[in-house]
Amino acid sequence: MIARHWRGIAKPGEAGRYIGHLKTDTFPKLAAIHGFISASILTRELEHGTEFLVITRWDSMDAIEQFAGPSAEEAVVPASVQSMMVEFDQRVIHYEVVEDYRPKSN
């Protein structure tokens, strides 16, 4: 499994709109790609906006390329999202997932 990490900082007041974009546009598109596993949205408040770390999990680099194209390291950031951001990563980081630990329920 591969984890794809992207970071951006939304302008003050834009965090909700960005989350809405992920839920209504990006995540449905990802869900339609064979090999997409899951996505997480992590946030923290900073002085100049809300920082996001979006982590998606994939079966393979081939699956990621269906979303990102042949230059899989380049971030996919539509113009509508760019306008919401103070700053954002132009490139993503991919990690090989060694283990995805989930404790058993009692």
Side-chain angles (χ1 to χ4, degrees):
M1 180 173 23
I2 299 168
R4 178 181 170 94
H5 289 218
W6 177 84
R7 181 190 152 281
I9 300 174
K11 296 174 183 174
E14 294 286 2
R17 201 173 96 168
Y18 177 59
I19 291 170
H21 166 80
L22 290 172
K23 290 181 175 181
T24 62
D25 185 69
T26 303
F27 292 166
K29 288 177 183 173
L30 299 182
I33 298 172
H34 179 73
F36 171 72
I37 297 171
S38 65
S40 299
I41 306 169
L42 289 72
T43 67
R44 69 179 180 146
E45 292 301 319
L46 301 175
E47 287 182 27
H48 56 291
T50 303
E51 182 178 31
F52 285 88
L53 176 60
V54 179
I55 302 172
T56 55
R57 290 166 204 80
W58 303 82
D59 281 338
S60 67
M61 286 303 294
D62 289 338
I64 292 170
E65 288 175 3
Q66 290 179 52
F67 167 65
S71 299
E73 302 293 325
E74 290 182 25
V76 178
V77 187
S80 61
V81 170
Q82 291 180 29
S83 70
M84 296 178 211
M85 298 289 155
V86 173
E87 64 182 66
F88 58 90
D89 291 345
Q90 299 288 325
R91 301 188 64 75
V92 300
I93 300 173
H94 294 110
Y95 294 90
E96 183 72 30
V97 177
V98 175
E99 183 172 339
D100 189 19
Y101 176 76
R102 295 175 194 230
K104 295 179 183 176
S105 299
N106 292 334

